[in-house]
Amino acid sequence: MLGAMFAPQGPTLRELAVQALSSVERGYDLLAPKFDRTPFRTPDAVLGPVTRAVRALGPFDSGLDVCCGTGAGMDVLRQVCRERVTGVDRSAGMLAAGRAAAGTAATAPRVEWVRADALALPFGPDFDLAVSFGAFGHFLPRERPQLFTQVHSVLRPGGRFVFPIVAPARPGSRAYWSLLAFDAAMRVRNALWHPSFVMYYRTFRLAEVRTELARAGFDVELQALPELGRRPDGSPRCRLVVATRTR
Ligand SMILES: C[S@@+](CC[C@H](N)C(=O)[O-])C[C@H]1O[C@@H](n2cnc3c(N)ncnc32)[C@H](O)[C@@H]1O
């Protein structure tokens, strides 16, 4: 089965295999031209509810999309920021694809795409909003405090770091076993093959993330995103983390 996966013009199984055996940066460089036709791009079904919730927190002047890829979060920022929208990503290929798809608009906000590691952001405290989608699995738990400190450092006092977080899969459910199998396969792959490809879905847990954000200097609130469904016990399947720079 070497045809396109996910969509007619999506990556082939062979292309996905080559990408999976590359480093994170090289893997995304290779995937970039077809990334928007994979399920790895954050879908509009998620971006819409997040945009509505973020708009209610605004208005904002300058927004940063951390690990922007081809620009899923840039679409959110363009709708809620008045002056400047910046995407930062380590993959030159993803940035080029995002830039090409976005084109150049003469109207505000000003849009820029910056190549950098999110663990070493090349900005001062310039932003009043930061968002991030679909990328936290690329950071090992021990790297997260630095990631959060970096985002904190580029926000103005009172600035907001906002991202959706999905409730953990119910133990024994299909999603639970799929994620467990994916993480196990990734750990085996990384034990046997270099360069490593860090993508662990199960390590980004709300309780730990909350504590780490607080340590980095954020005040953390949660908002339900009811449009994204409920779990069998009635709790929201997805929440918005709203972390405000308080110091
Ligand atoms: C799954 S994609 C998500 C892209 C986009 N945010 C979305 O939701 O569609 C993950 C992105 O994170 C980027 N990335 C991973 N580690 C990074 C790092 N340390 N610094 C900057 N970007 C990183 C990758 O290059 C890739 O573009």
Side-chain angles (χ1 to χ4, degrees):
M1 186 188 150
L2 293 175
M5 301 282 288
F6 311 128
Q9 274 93 40
T12 62
L13 185 58
R14 186 177 176 284
E15 286 170 331
L16 285 173
V18 171
Q19 285 140 20
L21 292 175
S22 310
S23 66
V24 172
E25 184 178 330
R26 174 89 184 119
Y28 277 109
D29 280 347
L30 292 169
L31 185 58
K34 297 182 176 179
F35 181 78
D36 286 353
R37 289 182 291 277
T38 72
F40 309 127
R41 185 188 212 269
T42 300
D44 291 346
V46 172
L47 299 175
V50 172
T51 305
R52 283 189 280 284
V54 174
R55 188 179 284 122
L57 299 168
F60 299 100
D61 289 331
S62 308
L64 178 68
D65 183 7
V66 181
C67 303
C68 63
T70 55
M74 298 288 274
D75 294 341
V76 175
L77 294 179
R78 260 192 292 262
Q79 296 176 65
V80 301
C81 295
R82 295 181 289 210
E83 290 174 9
R84 174 185 170 204
V85 163
T86 303
V88 67
D89 200 282
R90 215 165 58 172
S91 158
M94 294 290 271
L95 291 165
R99 210 180 275 120
T104 43
T107 53
R110 191 170 86 244
V111 175
E112 59 195 5
W113 304 79
V114 176
R115 184 167 180 224
D117 189 337
L119 297 174
L121 291 172
F123 311 107
D126 300 335
F127 300 96
D128 48 13
L129 174 64
V131 296
S132 192
F133 295 89
F136 292 122
H138 291 306
F139 297 88
L140 294 169
R142 66 178 152 76
E143 295 174 321
R144 280 203 312 255
Q146 189 183 343
L147 175 67
F148 294 159
T149 301
Q150 283 292 296
V151 176
H152 181 271
S153 74
V154 301
L155 286 170
R156 299 174 187 147
R160 299 260 172 70
F161 180 28
V162 181
F163 54 86
I165 188 164
V166 180
R170 193 169 39 83
S173 65
R174 210 165 136 169
Y176 175 87
W177 290 116
S178 309
L179 291 177
L180 193 70
F182 181 90
D183 272 19
M186 194 54 90
R187 280 176 206 283
V188 171
R189 178 250 183 249
N190 285 336
L192 299 176
W193 190 270
H194 287 273
S196 62
F197 191 101
V198 171
M199 181 71 217
Y200 296 119
Y201 285 106
R202 298 170 70 249
T203 54
F204 199 74
R205 296 191 200 98
L206 181 56
E208 289 149 38
V209 165
R210 245 189 131 138
T211 305
E212 291 160 3
L213 285 167
R215 270 195 207 122
F218 289 103
D219 211 28
V220 182
E221 285 165 38
L222 297 175
Q223 284 187 21
L225 291 169
E227 299 103 309
L228 296 177
R230 296 205 170 265
R231 306 171 83 206
D233 66 1
S235 61
R237 215 177 64 78
C238 192
R239 295 176 213 244
L240 198 65
V241 174
V242 180
T244 305
R245 176 175 175 169
T246 49
R247 53 181 156 92

